Structure formats: structure tokens, C-alpha cells
Amino acid sequence: METVVADTTPPVPDRPWHSVRVTEIFSSFDTPPGGLSGTEASERLRRFGYNRIAEPEKMSPLKILFNQLKGFFNIILFIAALIALGVGYLPGRAANLHEVIFIVVIIILNTIISFIEEYKASQSIQSLHRVMKRMARVMRDGQEIVTDADEVVPGDMVILSEGDRIPADGRIIESFGLMVDESVLTGESVSIDKDNLDVPEEAILAERTNMAYSGTYVTRGSSKVLITGTGMATEIGKIAADLYDIRERPTSFQIEIARLGRQVTLAIAVIVAVIAITSYIVEHLSFYDVLINSISLGVAAVPESLPVVMTFALALGTRRMLGKKALVKHLSVVEDLGSVDVICTDKTGTLTENRVSVEKVYADGRISLPEEDVAGAAMPHLLRAAILCNEARTGSVEGGDKAWIGDPTEIGLLMFAGKRMIDPEAERSRYPRIGEIPFSSETRKMTSIHTVDGRPVAYSKGALRVILNDCDRIFNNGDIVTMNQEARDRITTMGDSMAGEALRVLAFACRELPSQEMPEGEIEKGMIFLGFVGMMDPPRKEISGAIRIAREAGIRVIMITGDHKKTAQAIAGRIGLGNNAAEGKDVDRLPIGELAGYMDGVDIVARATPRTKDNITRALQERGHFVAMTGDGVNDATAIKRSDVGVAMGVRGTDVAKESADMILLDDNFATLIDAVEEGRRIFDNIKKFVNYLLSANLAEVFVIMILSFFGFIPLTGTMVLWVNVITDVLPASALAVDPANPGIIRRPPRRVGDPVLNTGVKALIAFSGIKKVIVLLIIFYIGFHMGELKLAQTMVFTSVILFSFVRIMIVREMDRLTLWSNKWLLLAMATGICLQLMVLYIPPVREFFDIVPLNLIHWVILIPIVAVSAFLGIAGARLIMKRLPAI
């Protein structure tokens, strides 16, 4: 996409846009009634720029690099290098340049590795935001098209309907029952009625009822809006700087990791202090040597790579989820997924294909197939109602192709009319809409008013019993007669029969109005019943398997739908979900405390409203459950926001639902949510593995040095410990972050909320490994010392520490029953580490730098069996501990 830079501001009137007449608005922006031409829109995009709010300054690579250089541990290393360099100027001392060079090299390596991982993590997070494209419906060249909201320009005619986020500021041209949530601007939680009437010039923003503002949401109705300001020229653009001050708070998991790091650092600082005092008093080392060794040991022993690797693991996990069509908006959501034990899911489009077609029709007293030519007076009116009382329409999608745009149910009705050789667009042109009562989940119906032969006629569609309650007449043998109870019972029985076949029943009615100017509450009374259709949205093929996997994972699935109970039960039966059903009205009557217990036996909630969803979420949470709630509508936002993991639909979901959610399913598929849960568990397991690995490896080294320092020996110099840190910490730990999942991970029960990374089992494994490693390293030091001298003992311990670290990786992975060959990156990291250590041992200049000796065949014959036996004991001990204590 080419770079577009705004060099001109949109037209500015003598008075505010809300006080300008509609005709003047069109004239000011030179907008034809059919909208701008594509050519003119492109020209305005070049002049005015993209419809974007200026983002806060992104973290540049240079800034990330600087942040790494000024990190606490790098500063300590800088101080150590300066001390090593400065001591050469002291009387009687020579400059120890090789230590200075080595410390500088460590700083560079540590900085580069940390920079690469943080940069990748930041790029991953930015890529998530790029995927969340906003779309808008606009009129171009007389046609409705769907385009990127960033490309909306001043003068564009935007079409809005319920659930849309308004893409830019604009003047309302037409309004059909429009209500808008402007709380983001005004703080007013109640939706505002909107119309196209002029308002006084002095009206404050909250009183400008003829304006629509960027970032607000349509909660009801539909409208056409002529855009007057985009990007930073919008009201939300003017206050954008204030929004940038909002920062995401750290999660409990991140707080735990930070606390763990502080505790480990404090413990190591105490141990290092003991070693320093012992070295100075017992070994009579110079203050300089003690200082250099202490600083090097402390920096190397503290797992400073832990937060970096954790962020890398979470960011990598979000990228993997994105590849599986699950867009995670915050890294912290990954940890929450592993704790989900209840999923409340929509039916339509999530469990089903969201491809609705009419399967059966009831009209003129009989049931027929949609393509049958049925004689009777009601059928033509039913078809007309299906076309006119309908928001779906043809339009251009990405690529310029023509397609139906709108709700799948309404698209299915238009396709039904097409099977009967009726052109929906021609029918709508013949009977223009002059009014509308929009659909709402509370009323479960919609009504539109049209001019038919010069008279206003209302057409309604909605739930069967709702429409029946509005009707007092019905077609009978071509005549309109009063509807009696027998007819109502017969119609209800037929509808229940269709619902029992997993068909969604949608009824239609009409009425000629005495006047176009009737109160809204009177329009839908005294209607004529036309009939109903049975529509099918088949279950997705993979849903039965996903439901089974969720059950094996200890996750309970509850279907919450607005459909009839029998329809919901029929679908549930086909996908293997439980059959215990309740109705929304029964759920809503119960206090939250009673509802919590009542929901234990419920698999399906039918005829649910948004309030039902919210009540269920609260009740389940009160019961101690960790709840994921899916939704797609405006009114679902409350339940999505309240849930522990809010999930919005990416295809059919409204903007407000997506904004409220923690995660967006880009394919609206329930199976994708189960895949995301499995991925979340894998990531948490991997974080637990490298925390286990880093702590057990680092602490053992420190204790060995502390113990031997009491006897006057230094088994590892500061330079050696720094080298071990480079070879064994960051690269292998990062490779553990991409470990595959435990084969049985999805069959484990959900992780309890607040379950720590270092639970009892993991602590026992770390303690066992640490004690074993300390004992074995002391034995190796003793053998080396008595075979030769201190340098040989140091060399054998130096090499053993690296070998044992890689053995420890194998033991840690034993928790997940993973083979060494299942992670090629881990193999590469370990092979690289071993090659580098061999280079240190056998290249003379490098060996001299570390002040060690080469190991001969006898030394390896001693070391390798010890390492092998240690590995065997480690694996056996880990298995024994894991049988008795939960480590995963």
C-alpha cells in the first residue's frame, strides 16, 4: 500500500456541521446522491490521508537496543569491565585485558540475543493489530461496497447498521431507528437516539443528535452518514493523546515471574557475598579478584534471561494461534486459556456452518418444499415479506466481486426468493422502504414499512410465537379471516415439528396501515399471519470431534442460543453435546446464587437474551469456574467483557464485540477455540520447563562454588561462569519455548487459577536435580584435583557443568514425555554449545584465555560415564517424584 500523506484539511464550514442543513453538506463536499466515484475517492485519500488515529511512537530497533544496553545486568558488567581495566593503573598491578575483552564480548552477546528476542516479540504484537482490519460499507459509483475503514474519506457516504463501529465523524443523512453508544466520548452509558434533523449551533457534543462520531457504536437501527472528518480531524482524534496514557497492567502470572526473579536474585546475592568473604579471608585473594569473581558469578547465576524468554514464548504462541485462525489481542490471554473449564458458546456460525437455507415452508395451510409451486394467496405475500423485511443486499467485496452482504439467515431468505424466480432488487425498487422498526434480541422481531400501490404496508418477521401474538387474522382459501385458537394451535404444532427437525422457524406477517405516521407501538398490532419457514444451518463437520476433545480436556461446553429449545436440542444431539436444556426466561428469573447451582445440570440454554448470557457468566464465576464466553452481537459485549476469556467472532462479529473480546476467532469456528486452549496449555508447560531448567542449573553452580570456597578452592572463575551462562542459558531456554505439546496435554484437567509455575512437584524436581548435580560436581572436582592439579579439576568441572545442563534439559522434558529428536531447535542449540566448549578446550589461544588445560581420553572416559549415570538417575528420580507430586 502506498504511503499517503495528508496535505489538505477537509472543508470547514462557517458554523459546525451539526447546524448545517443536509443539502449544504452535500454541496460542501461535492458528493453526488450515489456517493463518490472510485477515482474521486482515491484522489481524496491522497489529499486527506488515511482514516487513522496517529499511533504513539513505536519502539524503534535502536531504542530496543539501547534499553538492552542500559539493563541492570549489563550495567553491572560494564562496572566489572571498568574495574578490570582500571586496576592495571594501580601500583604493582598489570592490566588484565583478556578479562576486560571477555566481559565486553559477554555484554555484546547478551545484548544481541536479548535484542533479537524482544524485537521479534514486539513485531509479533504489532502484526496482531495489523490483522484486525476494520471494514466499512460505503457508496461508490452508485453501488454499495465493502472497503477498508482506513480508506474512508471526507465526503464518503457510509452505510451503518446494528453492531457497526462508526469509522469516522459524519452528518446523518437518513436514520431508521438509529441509536448509538457514545460512551467513549461522552461517558454516557445510555445509547443516544439519532436522526437527521438540524440542531442548534451551540449544542454540546452529547446533544448533537444528527452527528455520528468515530469510535462509537450503532446499538440499534440503520443509517446513512456523510463523512465530514477522518483520522486526526475526528473528535476521537482530538483526544487520542490522552488515550495513549492507558497501559495494560501486568497479570498475576507476570507478577509471579517478577517476584520469583527477585527472590532468586536475593538468595544468590547472599550466597555470592558468603563466597566473596570466604575467598578474601580463607584464600587471601586480592580485593580486585574477589570483586571481579563475585560480580561475574552473581550476574551469571541470576536467570536474567527468564523474562526475555517468557515474553518470547508468549509472543511465539500468539503467532502460532494466529496461524490457526485465533487472534489473541493480549499476550496475557495465553496463560488464561489453560485455566478455562467452561466454554459458553453460540450455536449459529460457531457450532454450525453459518450457511442458512430454507428447507421447508408453511403457507396457505400446508407444508411444502421451497422450490415447489404452491397455489394460494399467502405465499406471494410471504415471499414479499421475506425480501422487503430484510437487511441483506448485494454489494462488492474485496476483489470487486458481487456477493450477498448481511446476516446469513436474511441471505438465505433472498436465495429462497431466487429459487421462486423472484428478483429481490426489483421487488425492493417496486416497493420502497419508508420506515423501519429494527430487530432487537428483546423483541425477537423486525418490521419494515413500504409503499405498496400507494399505501403504507408493514411487513414483520420474527420468532413464531412472537409473530402469532401480533396477529388476529390469517389467509384461508384466498380470503383473510379471523384467526381462532384452533388455527393458532395447528400453526404452533407445525412449528414445533419443524424445530424438532433442527430447523430454525421464522414467521412472517403483514398489515396495511391506515397512516404512515402511526406510533411505533401500534404498527405491529392486528397483523395478518402469512406463514413461516424452516431454515437449516448444519453443524460444522469438525464440531463433534472438538466437543469430544473439550470433554476429555475437562472443559464443559454450554450452548447458549436464541433459537427454539427443540432446534437447539436437535443440533446438540447431532454434535454429541448434552441434551439438558433450559430456556432463557427461566434462567433470568433465578437469583445469581441459585443460578450457580442450577447451571450444573444445564447443557443448553435456548431463547437466550444478552442478559441471560451475562447472568450465566456471573453465576458460573461465583461457582468458581473459569469461563470463556463467545459472542458476536452488540449486546453480547457485557458478557464477553465480564468473562475470564472473552471470545468474539471474526467473520460475523460486530465491532463492539471484537473490541470487548480478549480473543477473536477469525473463522468463527468452535474447533479453533479448542485448538487455542491446547496451544495455551503448551505454552504454559514450556514456560514451566525453562523456569525449572534455568533455576536448577544456575543454583547448583553457585552452591558448588560456595561449598568449595570454604575449603580454599575456586572451582569456577568468574570468566568460566559467564561463559557457561552464554552457552547454557538463553539459547537452550529459548529452544524450550518452541517445544511441541505433551501428547496428552489436552486430556489433562484445566490448570487451576493461581496455580504457580513453581508448584510442589516442580520445586521437588529442582531440589532433587540441584542436590544431585552439586554432589556429582564435587566428586568430579575431587577426581580431577587428585589426578593432576587445580587447573585440571577446574577444567573438568567447567566442562561438566555444560554437559550436565544439557542432561538437565532431557530430564525436564521427561515431564512431557518428549524425545530428544522432537525439537530440532533444541538439538541445534545443544550441538552449538558442545562445539563451542570443544573449541574452548582444544584451541590453544582460547584455552589460554580461560586458563584451563585440555582434556585427554582418560578424562573423557571418566566424565562421560558419570554424566550418563547422572542422566539415568535424574530421569528415574524425576519419574518417581512425578508419580507422587503434581509437576504438570
Side-chain angles (χ1 to χ4, degrees):
M1 186 178 288
E2 62 174 335
T3 302
V4 178
V5 180
D7 56 16
T8 310
T9 57
V12 179
D14 296 333
R15 56 189 190 280
W17 290 120
H18 61 267
S19 62
V20 177
R21 292 186 178 277
V22 170
T23 52
E24 294 180 40
I25 295 272
F26 276 96
S27 176
S28 297
F29 286 91
D30 196 19
T31 301
L36 300 175
S37 67
T39 303
E40 176 62 21
S42 297
E43 172 60 22
R44 294 191 185 191
L45 183 63
R46 187 194 66 77
R47 287 169 52 205
F48 301 131
Y50 284 115
N51 177 35
R52 297 172 183 158
I53 302 298
E55 298 180 0
E57 182 183 356
K58 291 188 176 74
M59 186 77 78
S60 67
L62 192 61
K63 194 167 185 179
I64 294 175
L65 182 61
F66 177 72
N67 285 341
Q68 294 299 330
L69 287 171
K70 71 177 185 179
F72 172 75
F73 296 101
N74 276 342
I75 290 174
I76 296 297
L77 282 175
F78 274 124
I79 294 172
L82 290 174
I83 292 172
L85 185 63
V87 78
Y89 296 98
L90 296 176
R93 294 302 301 255
N96 202 348
L97 291 179
H98 78 279
E99 290 189 0
V100 176
I101 293 170
F102 185 72
I103 292 173
V104 171
V105 169
I106 293 296
I107 293 172
I108 293 172
L109 285 174
N110 190 46
T111 300
I112 289 174
I113 293 170
S114 299
F115 166 79
I116 290 172
E117 294 192 351
E118 185 170 339
Y119 181 72
K120 283 183 177 179
S122 67
Q123 290 297 105
S124 173
I125 295 167
Q126 290 176 21
S127 70
L128 299 184
H129 294 294
R130 285 195 292 270
V131 171
M132 293 179 60
K133 291 180 65 175
R134 297 181 301 134
M135 306 305 290
R137 288 187 292 154
V138 300
M139 296 296 296
R140 296 270 173 85
D141 296 308
Q143 297 288 323
E144 178 185 329
I145 69 167
V146 176
T147 186
D148 191 326
D150 285 357
E151 298 182 5
V152 169
V153 297
D156 253 332
M157 184 83 72
V158 172
I159 299 167
L160 300 173
S161 56
E162 181 176 332
D164 288 346
R165 186 169 86 163
I166 297 169
D169 290 3
R171 181 73 149 78
I172 296 171
I173 307 303
E174 295 179 6
S175 173
F176 297 99
L178 183 68
M179 296 187 74
V180 176
D181 176 358
E182 293 185 339
S183 57
V184 68
L185 286 175
T186 64
E188 176 59 58
S189 59
V190 179
S191 295
I192 307 299
D193 287 299
K194 295 285 186 173
D195 53 43
N196 63 348
L197 303 178
D198 299 339
V199 298
E201 183 174 340
E202 62 273 12
I204 62 173
L205 189 144
E207 297 172 352
R208 298 171 190 171
T209 53
N210 60 4
M211 294 291 293
Y213 292 106
S214 174
T216 61
Y217 298 92
V218 177
T219 58
R220 181 179 173 186
S222 59
S223 174
K224 285 185 179 179
V225 172
L226 194 145
I227 299 303
T228 57
T230 59
M232 296 305 291
T234 62
E235 292 294 330
I236 199 75
K238 296 172 185 176
I239 60 173
D242 295 333
L243 300 179
Y244 297 154
D245 293 335
I246 300 173
R247 294 290 183 269
E248 187 178 357
R249 292 181 297 175
T251 65
S252 58
F253 180 65
Q254 292 165 326
I255 292 171
E256 180 193 354
I257 291 294
R259 183 174 62 248
L260 179 64
R262 288 194 299 269
Q263 291 171 347
V264 171
T265 301
L266 180 61
I268 289 175
V270 172
I271 295 171
V272 169
V274 172
I275 294 172
I277 294 170
T278 304
S279 299
Y280 187 75
I281 296 175
V282 177
E283 299 178 52
H284 306 291
L285 293 181
S286 69
F287 177 76
Y288 160 76
D289 290 327
V290 169
L291 185 61
I292 289 296
N293 286 338
S294 299
I295 292 176
S296 300
L297 177 60
V299 171
V302 173
E304 71 273 9
S305 58
L306 183 58
V308 176
V309 177
M310 189 188 78
T311 301
F312 172 68
L314 293 173
L316 185 66
T318 61
R319 288 204 298 271
R320 287 171 60 103
M321 288 185 186
L322 185 57
K324 296 180 179 180
K325 303 296 185 182
L327 172 61
V328 176
K329 293 169 65 178
H330 312 286
L331 293 182
S332 58
V333 175
V334 174
E335 72 193 68
D336 291 335
L337 285 168
S339 298
V340 169
D341 62 351
V342 177
I343 297 176
C344 298
T345 176
D346 290 337
K347 176 182 73 68
T348 303
T350 308
L351 302 177
T352 61
E353 294 183 359
N354 203 25
R355 179 181 52 81
V356 182
S357 63
V358 174
E359 303 292 323
K360 292 184 178 182
V361 186
Y362 175 87
D364 296 300
R366 58 164 291 191
I367 292 178
S368 61
L369 298 177
E371 59 272 11
E372 283 186 60
D373 188 11
V374 180
M379 183 63 83
H381 291 283
L382 185 151
L383 287 166
R384 186 178 298 166
I387 293 169
L388 300 181
C389 189
N390 193 316
E391 295 293 333
R393 64 196 72 203
T394 57
S396 297
V397 294
E398 212 167 342
D401 297 330
K402 292 287 184 180
W404 292 111
I405 299 173
D407 181 80
T409 298
E410 296 193 324
I411 291 173
L413 292 174
L414 296 184
M415 295 177 70
F416 164 49
K419 290 180 180 179
R420 304 300 296 262
M421 308 306 291
I422 300 174
D423 181 1
E425 295 302 324
E427 199 79 354
R428 288 171 171 176
S429 298
R430 190 176 300 121
Y431 308 116
R433 182 181 294 190
I434 57 175
E436 174 188 332
I437 302 175
F439 172 84
S440 76
S441 49
E442 284 75 23
T443 62
R444 303 210 306 276
K445 62 183 175 181
M446 170 190 176
T447 299
S448 60
I449 305 167
H450 302 261
T451 301
V452 179
D453 298 330
R455 299 185 301 274
V457 176
Y459 292 94
S460 289
K461 77 168 188 291
L464 176 59
R465 284 175 171 77
V466 171
I467 296 298
L468 269 178
N469 287 339
D470 290 338
C471 297
D472 57 13
R473 291 167 292 165
I474 188 173
F475 277 98
N476 184 28
N477 295 324
D479 297 324
I480 298 173
V481 299
T482 301
M483 183 185 292
N484 55 33
Q485 190 59 44
E486 181 183 351
R488 290 180 186 274
D489 292 342
R490 184 174 65 254
I491 290 169
T492 301
T493 301
M494 292 286 190
D496 289 345
S497 174
M498 281 193 189
E501 299 175 36
L503 298 177
R504 181 185 180 189
V505 177
L506 200 59
F508 300 88
C510 69
R511 176 195 177 188
E512 183 178 322
L513 303 177
S515 167
Q516 183 178 335
E517 305 297 329
M518 288 184 65
E520 187 173 297
E522 299 295 320
I523 291 173
E524 296 169 325
K525 293 181 179 179
M527 303 195 85
I528 304 167
F529 188 78
L530 301 175
F532 57 86
V533 297
M535 309 184 78
M536 167 65 81
D537 179 13
R540 293 178 183 265
K541 294 177 182 177
E542 65 275 16
I543 288 303
S544 295
I547 295 290
R548 185 183 67 256
I549 291 171
R551 190 173 289 117
E552 292 173 354
I555 300 173
R556 184 172 159 222
V557 180
I558 302 173
M559 178 199 296
I560 304 179
T561 177
D563 281 347
H564 191 281
K565 182 194 288 188
K566 290 186 177 180
T567 303
Q569 286 176 315
I571 291 290
R574 293 177 64 176
I575 64 176
L577 195 62
N579 199 46
N580 297 324
E583 294 211 354
K585 61 182 180 181
D586 299 323
V587 168
D588 292 339
R589 277 199 293 261
L590 293 174
I592 296 299
E594 292 182 29
L595 180 58
Y598 177 77
M599 287 303 299
D600 284 345
V602 175
D603 304 303
I604 304 161
V605 179
R607 294 301 190 204
T609 66
R611 179 181 167 223
T612 310
K613 278 190 169 186
D614 191 42
N615 287 343
I616 290 172
T617 303
R618 292 165 58 199
L620 290 170
Q621 288 174 328
E622 187 167 301
R623 194 76 166 175
H625 293 292
F626 203 77
V627 182
M629 173 68 72
T630 74
D632 57 11
V634 173
N635 293 329
D636 290 336
T638 303
I640 290 173
K641 195 75 174 177
R642 188 185 300 279
S643 66
D644 299 291
V645 178
V647 184
M649 302 298 108
V651 177
R652 74 180 191 282
T654 58
D655 287 337
V656 65
K658 293 175 186 176
E659 289 288 332
S660 302
D662 302 302
M663 184 168 72
I664 300 173
L665 301 182
L666 300 180
D667 58 358
D668 289 12
N669 193 341
F670 177 84
T672 301
L673 178 55
I674 299 301
D675 287 344
V677 169
E678 182 174 12
E679 181 66 17
R681 291 185 178 188
R682 184 192 71 85
I683 293 167
F684 188 83
D685 274 8
N686 288 346
I687 290 174
K688 186 179 291 187
K689 276 187 289 190
F690 62 67
V691 168
N692 182 341
Y693 164 67
L694 287 174
L695 292 183
S696 59
N698 289 19
L699 289 175
E701 297 161 26
V702 177
F703 275 103
V704 167
I705 297 172
M706 183 181 71
I707 291 170
L708 288 175
S709 68
F710 290 128
F711 297 94
F713 298 110
I714 293 296
L716 295 171
T717 65
T719 305
M720 292 177 187
V721 177
L722 283 173
W723 176 252
V724 169
N725 188 47
V726 172
I727 298 298
T728 64
D729 268 19
V730 178
L731 290 178
S734 299
L736 282 175
V738 299
D739 245 4
N742 180 316
I745 193 171
I746 199 63
R747 292 176 180 84
R748 295 204 312 250
R751 178 173 59 87
R752 289 176 299 179
V753 179
D755 186 23
V757 176
L758 294 184
N759 58 26
T760 305
V762 175
K763 288 178 181 177
L765 287 171
I766 291 174
F768 168 74
S769 172
I771 293 170
K772 176 181 66 68
K773 185 175 179 181
V774 167
I775 292 172
V776 174
L777 288 176
L778 290 175
I779 292 171
I780 290 173
F781 183 86
Y782 178 82
I783 293 172
F785 187 77
H786 285 277
M787 285 182 67
E789 54 182 10
L790 178 60
K791 281 190 178 181
L792 176 59
Q794 287 178 325
T795 304
M796 292 180 71
V797 170
F798 180 33
T799 303
S800 298
V801 166
I802 292 174
L803 295 178
F804 277 126
S805 294
F806 295 152
V807 168
R808 179 62 186 152
I809 289 177
M810 296 169 59
I811 297 172
V812 167
R813 298 178 84 243
E814 176 66 18
M815 291 168 54
D816 284 337
R817 298 190 296 278
L818 297 172
T819 67
L820 182 62
W821 316 107
S822 60
N823 186 339
K824 63 180 182 180
W825 298 109
L826 183 58
L827 283 174
L828 181 61
M830 293 168 63
T832 301
I834 291 172
C835 289
L836 289 173
Q837 182 61 16
L838 291 175
M839 178 189 74
V840 168
L841 289 173
Y842 298 111
I843 297 178
V846 181
R847 184 173 66 243
E848 291 170 8
F849 179 87
F850 283 91
D851 195 22
I852 57 177
V853 296
L855 299 180
N856 60 33
L857 182 60
I858 295 175
H859 303 144
W860 285 112
V861 168
I862 294 171
L863 279 183
I864 291 175
I866 292 176
V867 171
V869 171
S870 176
F872 173 77
L873 292 175
I875 292 173
R879 288 177 177 174
L880 186 63
I881 291 171
M882 288 168 59
K883 282 182 180 179
R884 303 180 186 283
L885 295 171
I888 57 176

